[in-house]
Structures are given as structure tokens and as C-alpha cells.
């Protein structure tokens, strides 16, 4: 039986405590599983074995990594703001656990003789609780970067804040269409709205269609998937932790259990957004077809298994993207979020709202709405995208036509003269290449010699042209007899 909002808030205190411990244990176990699962899947993609030493088949590798982090030295930077430095990982971790409290794991079940929904709590605005908790996580990241007292963590935290805020907007807009279809923001009622078959009428022909919102609202589903990858700082959008630019991002100065808390928050957020995707778009805990043909598939404790399988499938998508796509540049990433995802989500919301309103006001069936409303909207959107694309590429297209007009040979590139500001001082050109002011790229001289370290005083001197000293001590001179005299 599907739970309703009236079924929540009726549990005895010890049952609530059992649910809290169960949700916490589930998230910890899913985190340990996700780490091993990610390393195994990426190893399979790269044709290597992956972890295979700790536990059966390497299954306890993530537990060993956690113990290793716990026993590492806890280093605190001298310039750190210690109270905020301690609280930042906690602030990042706690909202990740709280967001899972409104996720429905199954129907009404019996726990020690008590009938209760397999969900900790629900509210008429249950989905907004998840969005609020995910928004709180950025405070821990920003405070962690600021409290470290270092430049690189601060830059990484600022980039992470801009990234998470930008893609959180796209994620929020992507689920508005789900609210319009389900008529509620309660997570348990959204799952109930996806139950059964969707009756479709096409010009007098009636048949049962899919009920999952991933099929009915494909644009919302695609935008949500892209947005949550950026919102959780996962590859190819892991720009706050770009090692080539920011060393380690906002957690550069963290070690031991504090770093483990940031690590735990990232994977718990992955599990939470995967569970939310299963709830909003993949039918929640309800069994997929053809398992749903079995009468007992959606009763008892079986739905917990279907729900976990959907979460694991969503985690596989995260890992698949990490092992496949290269990292984007930061400007490309932010441009994609603000100029592609957000406008697409807004146009899709308008299209869905228009189709729902026309269908309700004029009593049209699904085929008539798609013919009279859906197709004109699709043609309008495609036309606008085509015009915008041609305008943005106009300069490049015109330059390519001029370069290829009347010539079968490639055109020589035009070298612009150097632009010198009045009164500005410019370095002379290096022997290895022209300077930037002279039309070239800045290239450092290739004959640099590293000076010897002061700690190597008394050792063998640096030879001419050698990069560093060898480190061997010079033989001490033999004392002469006349020196003693």
C-alpha cells in the first residue's frame, strides 16, 4: 500500500530512532559501495584490474581507505581560522545526510509489528527540503576554503560556490515540470503519481503508455542529469578540484578525518541526487516492467531492492561520465550552464504549462495537444536556435568563405603588428622566440640554470650547464706537515 501524508508523524519514538539509524547506516554503506564500485568500473573501462587485495575481490578497499585517513596526521595550517576550519567539514556533511530523510524507500511495511511507511518523514514541500539541504552544502565548501588561510583553497571555494549556485538553478527548474504533472511537491505522492499506466488518447485511439516522468518529460530528465553532475562537483565538471590549476581546490589544506568528511559529503550527495532522480523520474520504489507484472512486486520489502537498483544505475552514470569525458574549461562550463541549461529549462516549463492548460481548458486528447500545441512550439524553438546559431557563428563563417574564395591553396595567416601602449616598457625578445608584444606567445628561455641550495654548501659545486648539483661531498684536503708547524 502506498503511504499518504496522513501516515507520517504517527510513529512511536523508538521506531523513529530505528529509522534514523537505518537511513544513516544505508548512506554509509552506499558510500563504501560507491567508492569500490567507481574504482572497479573505471578499472574495467581502462582494461585493468582495480582494487583486488583488501577483502574478497577488493570489496573492503574503501573501508581500508577510511581507516588510513583516520590514522593520518591531522595538520592545521598556522594561518587557519581554527573554529571555522573545524566546522566547515561538518557543515558540508550534515546537510548531505539530512536531504535523504524525505526520500521514499518503499511502501507501508511492518517493523516489529508496527505498520509504518518505509520513509523517515515527508511534507507537502518534501522536494524543497532536498534542494534546501543541497544549497546548505556550499557553505561548508566556502568556509573551508576561506578558513584555510591560503590562496588556492580560497580560489577553489569561490569557483565551487559559483558552480554550485549556477547549476542548482538549472536543477530546480528541471523539476518544475514534474510538479506540474504530479500536482504536488511531496516525494511520496510523486511516486504514487507514477503508479500504473498512463492512459493516452490519440484521435479516438486509447492505449496505455509509460508513466515514468523520465519518458513523459525527457527534457526535464536530461537537464536534471547534467545539472546534478555539475552541482555535485563530479567529472567532467570537477573544476573546484582541478589539480592542474588549483592543486586540490577548497580542501587543499585538509587532512585526516576532516578531509574524509569532505570526501564523505561528496559521495553522500551522489547517492542523494541519484535517489531523488529515481523518485522524481524513474517511478521511485515501484518495480519496473516486466517485474511489475508480478502482483507482489510492489509490496513488502521487495520495493527497497528495486529502489536500490535504480540508485546503483544512476551511480553508474556518474562513473561512466568520469571515465569517458575530459574536463571542461571553467568559462565553457559556466557558459553552458547559464546560456544552455537555464534557457532550455525555462522554455520547457512554458511548453509543458501551455500543453497542460490547453488540454484542460479545451478538453483535448493527447494527440490533439501534441498536434496543435506541441509541434508548433517545437518548430518555434528549433527556428530560434537555428537563427541564434547562425548569428553566433556569422563572423567565423564569413571569414572561412573569404579565405576559400577563388583559391585552392591555404591562405597565409595575417600577422598583426605589435601594439605598444604609450610610455609602456617592454622586455626585449628572448632568444627562444618572440615576445607576446611582437606577435608571438611568451616562451621562457630554455637555458635556465637552477641555483644550488644553501644546504648543499661544502658539497660538489654545480657544473656549468648542469641543472642541479650531484649532492656528493667534496673530498676534504689532506693537511700538510708544514701547516702543523
Amino acid at each position: 500500500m502506498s503511504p499518504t501524508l496522513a501516515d507520517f508523524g504517527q510513529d512511536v519514538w523508538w521506531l523513529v530512532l530505528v529509522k534514523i539509524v537505518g537511513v544513516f547506516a544505508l548512506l554509509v554503506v552506499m558510500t563504501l559501495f560507491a567508492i569500490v564500485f567507481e574504482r572497479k568500473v573505471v578499472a574495467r573501462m581502462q582494461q585493468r584490474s582495480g582494487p583486488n587485495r583488501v577483502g574478497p575481490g577488493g570489496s573492503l578497499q574503501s573501508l581500508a581507505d577510511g581507516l588510513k585517513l583516520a590514522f593520518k596526521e591531522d595538520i592545521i595550517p598556522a594561518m587557519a581560522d581554527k573554529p571555522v576550519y573545524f566546522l566547515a567539514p561538518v557543515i558540508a556533511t550534515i546537510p548531505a545526510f539530512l536531504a535523504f530523510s524525505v526520500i521514499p524507500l518503499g511502501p507501508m511495511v511492518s517493523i516489529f509489528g508496527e505498520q509504518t511507511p518505509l520513509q523517515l518523514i515527508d511534507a507537502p514541500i518534501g522536494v524543497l527540503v532536498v534542494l534546501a539541504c543541497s544549497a546548505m552544502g556550499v557553505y561548508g565548501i566556502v568556509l573551508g576554503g576561506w578558513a584555510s588561510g591560503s590562496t588556492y583553497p580560497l580560489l577553489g571555494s569561490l569557483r565551487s560556490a559559483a558552480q554550485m549556485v549556477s547549476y542548482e538553478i538549472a536543477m530546480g527548474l528541471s523539476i518544475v515540470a514534474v510538479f506540474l504533472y504530479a500536482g504536488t511537491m511531496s516525494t511520496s505522492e510523486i511516486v504514487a503519481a507514477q503508479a500504473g499506466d498512463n492512459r493516452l488518447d490519440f484521435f479516438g485511439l486509447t492505449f496505455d503508455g509509460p508513466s515514468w516522468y523520465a519518458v513523459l518529460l525527457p527534457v526535464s530528465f536530461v537537464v536534471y542529469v547534467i545539472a546534478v553532475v555539475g552541482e555535485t562537483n563530479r567529472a567532467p565538471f570537477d573544476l573546484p578540484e582541478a589539480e592542474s590549476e588549483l592543486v586540490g581546490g577548497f580542501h587543499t589544506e585538509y587532512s585526516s578525518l576532516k578531509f574524509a568528511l569532505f570526501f564523505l559529503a561528496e559521495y553522500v550527495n551522489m547517492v542523494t541526487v541519484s535517489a531523488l532522480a529515481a523518485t522524481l523520474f524513474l517511478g521511485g520504489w515501484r518495480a519496473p516492467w516486466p517485474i511489475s507484472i508480478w502482483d507482489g512486486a510492489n509490496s513488502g520489502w521487495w520495493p527497497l531492492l528495486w529502489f536500490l537498483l535504480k540508485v546503483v544505475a544512476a551511480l553508474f552514470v556518474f562513473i561512466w561520465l568520469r571515465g569517458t569525458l575530459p574536463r571542461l574549461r571553467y568559462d565553457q562550463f559556466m557558459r553552458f550552464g547559464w546560456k544552455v541549461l537555464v534557457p532550455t529549462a525555462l522554455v520547457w516549463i512554458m511548453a509543458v504549462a501551455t500543453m497542460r492548460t490547453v488540454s484542460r481548458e479545451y478538453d483535448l486528447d493527447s494527440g490533439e495537444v501534441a498536434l496543435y500545441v506541441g509541434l508548433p512550439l517545437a518548430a518555434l524553438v528549433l527556428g530560434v536556435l537555428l537563427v541564434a546559431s547562425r548569428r553566433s557563428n556569422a563572423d567565423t563563417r564569413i571569414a572561412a568563405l573569404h579565405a576559400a574564395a577563388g583559391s585552392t591553396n591555404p591562405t597565409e595567416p595575417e600577422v598583426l603588428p605589435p601594439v605598444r601602449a604609450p610610455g609602456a616598457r617592454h622586455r626585449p625578445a628572448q632568444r627562444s622566440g618572440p615576445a607576446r608584444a611582437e606577435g608571438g606567445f611568451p616562451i621562457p628561455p630554455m637555458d635556465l640554470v637552477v641555483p644550488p641550495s644553501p644546504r648543499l654548501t661544502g658539497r660538489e659545486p654545480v657544473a656549468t650547464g648542469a641543472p642541479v648539483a650531484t649532492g656528493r661531498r667534496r673530498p676534504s684536503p689532506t693537511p700538510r706537515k708544514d701547516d702543523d708547524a
Side-chain angles (χ1 to χ4, degrees), residues 109-341:
V109 295
S110 176
I111 300 179
F112 300 113
E114 295 282 343
Q115 288 292 324
T116 180
L118 201 58
Q119 181 178 352
L120 183 56
I121 192 61
D122 196 8
I125 54 171
V127 179
L128 297 185
V129 174
V130 181
L131 297 180
C133 291
S134 63
M136 286 294 296
V138 72
Y139 285 96
I141 291 176
V142 172
L143 292 177
W146 175 81
S148 297
S150 179
T151 304
Y152 282 118
L154 179 60
L155 292 176
S157 63
L158 294 178
R159 282 174 55 156
S160 180
Q163 169 178 333
M164 295 178 72
V165 170
S166 302
Y167 277 76
E168 207 168 299
I169 295 174
M171 184 180 74
L173 293 175
S174 66
I175 60 181
V176 173
V178 175
F179 300 156
L180 294 175
Y181 258 78
T184 179
M185 289 186 285
S186 167
T187 53
S188 59
E189 293 183 354
I190 289 176
V191 174
Q194 300 178 72
D197 296 324
N198 184 30
R199 185 59 56 90
L200 299 176
D201 298 324
F202 278 89
F203 303 102
L205 298 177
T206 303
F207 60 93
D208 293 332
S211 59
W212 286 6
Y213 291 144
V215 180
L216 298 177
L217 304 170
V219 177
S220 295
F221 182 60
V222 172
V223 172
Y224 177 85
V225 170
I226 298 174
V228 297
V229 174
E231 205 263 343
T232 53
N233 298 335
R234 291 286 301 178
F237 301 152
D238 55 339
L239 298 173
E241 302 159 4
E243 297 88 354
S244 59
E245 308 162 28
L246 297 173
V247 184
F250 56 90
H251 52 61
T252 299
E253 303 291 348
Y254 281 89
S255 62
S256 189
L257 285 178
K258 298 183 186 65
F259 175 77
L261 287 179
F262 279 122
F263 199 63
L264 177 65
E266 177 180 334
Y267 278 89
V268 172
N269 280 325
M270 282 177 55
V271 176
T272 301
V273 297
S274 300
L276 187 63
T279 301
L280 298 180
F281 296 101
L282 303 178
W285 46 262
R286 295 188 173 274
W289 189 89
I291 304 177
S292 58
I293 299 175
W294 173 35
D295 294 335
N298 293 321
S299 61
W301 292 86
W302 285 107
L304 180 60
L305 176 61
W306 319 137
F307 178 79
L308 292 178
L309 290 177
K310 294 176 183 179
V311 172
V312 171
L315 291 175
F316 175 77
V317 175
F318 276 99
I319 300 168
W320 186 12
L321 293 176
R322 176 176 182 176
T324 306
L325 299 179
R327 179 183 289 141
L328 273 70
R329 282 203 326 260
Y330 190 73
D331 59 322
Q332 295 173 334
F333 173 63
M334 297 299 288
R335 186 186 306 116
F336 178 74
W338 285 105
K339 293 188 176 181
V340 177
L341 286 187

Side-chain angles (χ1 to χ4, degrees), residues 419-445:
V419 179
R420 297 181 180 272
R425 299 178 61 186
H426 296 272
R427 295 179 179 179
Q430 301 291 334
R431 290 179 296 173
S432 55
R436 179 181 296 179
E438 299 176 352
F441 292 99
I443 301 176

Side-chain angles (χ1 to χ4, degrees), residues 370-371 373-387:
L371 178 63
V373 181
L375 291 180
L377 283 176
L380 178 62
V381 171
L382 290 176
V384 171
L385 291 177
L386 180 61
V387 172

Side-chain angles (χ1 to χ4, degrees), residues 29-48:
V29 172
M30 287 298 297
T31 300
L32 297 176
F33 167 78
I35 297 173
V36 175
F37 185 57
E38 178 174 13
R39 297 177 67 176
K40 285 286 188 180
V41 172
V42 174
R44 180 70 175 178
M45 291 180 177
Q46 298 174 351
Q47 295 184 357
R48 53 187 178 85

